[in-house]
Amino acid sequence: MKIGELARRSGLSVHTIRYYERIGLLPYADRDRSHQRDYDAAILVWIEFLGRLKTTGMPIREMLLYAALREKGPVTGAERRSLLEKHREHVRARIAELGACLLVLDTKIAGYADAEKRTLDYDAEHFRGNDKPPRARQARAR
Amino acid sequence: MKIGELARRSGLSVHTIRYYERIGLLPYADRDRSHQRDYDAAILVWIEFLGRLKTTGMPIREMLLYAALREKGPVTGAERRSLLEKHREHVRARIAELGACLLVLDTKIAGYADAEKRTLDYDAEHFRGNDKPPRARQARAR
DNA sequence: ACTTGACTTAGAGTGCGCTCGAACCCGTAG
DNA sequence: CTACGGGTTCGAGCGCACTCTAAGTCAAGT
């Protein structure tokens, strides 16, 4: 598989694939006789996993660490595992954090909804039949 | 409250506070007669909310939009609400995404744990009493 | 033979969100 | 009087993760 096809199939851009190879996130790809990269489909699995790490907010620095361990072969299994376990905790913490913010957001939105409703009720009460409230109805609070 | 104290109490750096004011995320602060910013404690609530938006991944660009609406007063309530509602969906989606990745991570980690266990079992089976397996036990698969 | 299009490299540029440096000003304590 | 611990502005610099440009190579199609 050439780089263009890999790009299409992985969702990364050609530029990004080369960039990842340059920094060591992707292993140095074999070249054909005209120096073009020739990929094995197996790389897709690795790229997909990198994507997960990225999605979950792992910085490239750390992915490089993981990639380097992977390159060293199965003896590094324990180390890789512990790295992933640490990362998993970050992800869990992040999810919890987002959940908490979501509640705040809900409250805030409910507040706006409330204010809106109160305004409508007020208008209904005082300007029934008028489709335009008079200009004095511009409020002062923030 | 001067900028230093606000920094301590908000968790932002003095630099960041000035930066936020510069770009319009914080309202232009009143200055005392020697041109020093003098803050009302109310600003802390706003900063905290900005922090939530930031935590949940809202880009500054969008926060600026929200901040601008806020500056315009309560007439912009509906717009602000819809902006937050849109953002809330992003946050929900993000949480779901992270949850999915978490499962993948769990699986991967379980895989490493498994491999480790199999190695130990194998060693226990074949090298009982030896605390060091011989050198030929270096595997070949990735 | 020539065009096309996909590839190569090295290195420069981009957008984001800060972060810092230089040079200066001000009010208070010793 | 002077030193200090704040503050001020403006603009440059940084770390991250790409993203793109320039100049060139190569293989296949017409």
Side-chain angles (χ1 to χ4, degrees):
Chain A
M1 193 191 334
K2 288 199 275 172
I3 200 171
E5 197 190 338
L6 181 60
R8 251 180 304 101
R9 291 176 57 177
S10 67
L12 297 180
S13 78
V14 169
H15 288 305
T16 302
I17 292 171
R18 284 197 283 252
Y19 165 67
Y20 278 2
E21 178 182 307
R22 208 154 71 213
I23 66 174
L25 212 47
L26 294 179
Y28 184 83
D30 299 342
R31 316 291 157 118
D32 64 15
R33 53 221 157 309
S34 56
H35 304 293
Q36 301 195 353
R37 291 167 182 81
D38 190 12
Y39 290 98
D40 182 311
I43 197 76
L44 280 165
V45 177
W46 173 234
I47 289 178
E48 195 190 336
F49 185 64
L50 284 177
R52 302 281 180 179
L53 295 182
K54 183 184 149 166
T55 295
T56 50
M58 183 184 283
I60 282 190
R61 218 174 328 97
E62 203 166 332
M63 292 191 217
L64 282 177
L65 213 60
Y66 187 85
L69 291 174
R70 188 182 112 104
E71 293 290 300
K72 282 203 214 157
V75 277
T76 63
E79 257 180 290
R80 283 187 262 168
R81 179 186 169 186
S82 104
L83 202 155
L84 290 188
E85 280 171 346
K86 218 166 287 168
H87 182 58
R88 178 170 58 178
E89 286 322 302
H90 283 144
V91 178
R92 287 207 183 116
R94 182 92 184 103
I95 290 176
E97 195 182 31
L98 288 181
C101 286
L102 204 50
L103 292 182
V104 173
L105 224 41
D106 285 342
T107 307
K108 190 88 177 173
I109 288 168
Y112 280 122
D114 239 50
E116 237 163 278
K117 186 171 179 315
R118 266 185 285 104
T119 301
L120 289 173
D121 287 355
Y122 182 87
D123 289 354
E125 183 73 22
H126 296 264
F127 308 103
R128 227 171 315 161
N130 267 4
D131 45 348
K132 257 185 198 148
R135 42 186 162 64
R137 288 217 65 282
Q138 177 91 259
R140 14 116 200 75
R142 278 274 164 91
Chain B
M1 189 188 344
K2 289 199 277 173
I3 201 170
E5 198 192 338
L6 180 60
R8 251 179 303 97
R9 291 175 56 178
S10 67
L12 297 180
S13 79
V14 170
H15 287 305
T16 302
I17 293 172
R18 283 196 284 251
Y19 166 67
Y20 278 3
E21 179 182 306
R22 209 155 67 214
I23 65 175
L25 213 45
L26 294 180
Y28 184 83
D30 298 341
R31 317 291 156 120
D32 64 15
R33 53 223 160 305
S34 55
H35 304 291
Q36 300 194 354
R37 290 167 182 81
D38 191 10
Y39 291 98
D40 183 308
I43 196 75
L44 280 165
V45 178
W46 173 235
I47 290 178
E48 197 190 333
F49 185 64
L50 284 178
R52 302 282 180 179
L53 295 183
K54 181 183 149 166
T55 295
T56 50
M58 185 185 281
I60 285 189
R61 219 174 328 99
E62 202 165 334
M63 292 191 216
L64 284 176
L65 212 59
Y66 186 85
L69 291 173
R70 190 182 110 104
E71 292 291 299
K72 282 204 214 156
V75 277
T76 62
E79 257 180 291
R80 283 187 262 167
R81 178 187 169 186
S82 105
L83 202 156
L84 291 188
E85 281 172 346
K86 219 166 287 170
H87 182 58
R88 179 169 59 178
E89 286 321 302
H90 284 145
V91 177
R92 288 207 183 117
R94 181 94 183 102
I95 290 176
E97 194 182 31
L98 287 181
C101 286
L102 203 50
L103 291 182
V104 174
L105 224 42
D106 285 341
T107 307
K108 190 89 178 174
I109 288 168
Y112 280 123
D114 240 51
E116 240 164 275
K117 187 171 178 313
R118 269 185 280 101
T119 301
L120 290 172
D121 287 356
Y122 183 88
D123 290 355
E125 182 74 20
H126 296 266
F127 311 103
R128 226 171 314 161
N130 267 5
D131 44 349
K132 257 185 198 146
R135 41 185 161 66
R137 291 217 63 280
Q138 177 92 259
R140 41 217 119 28
R142 277 274 166 90

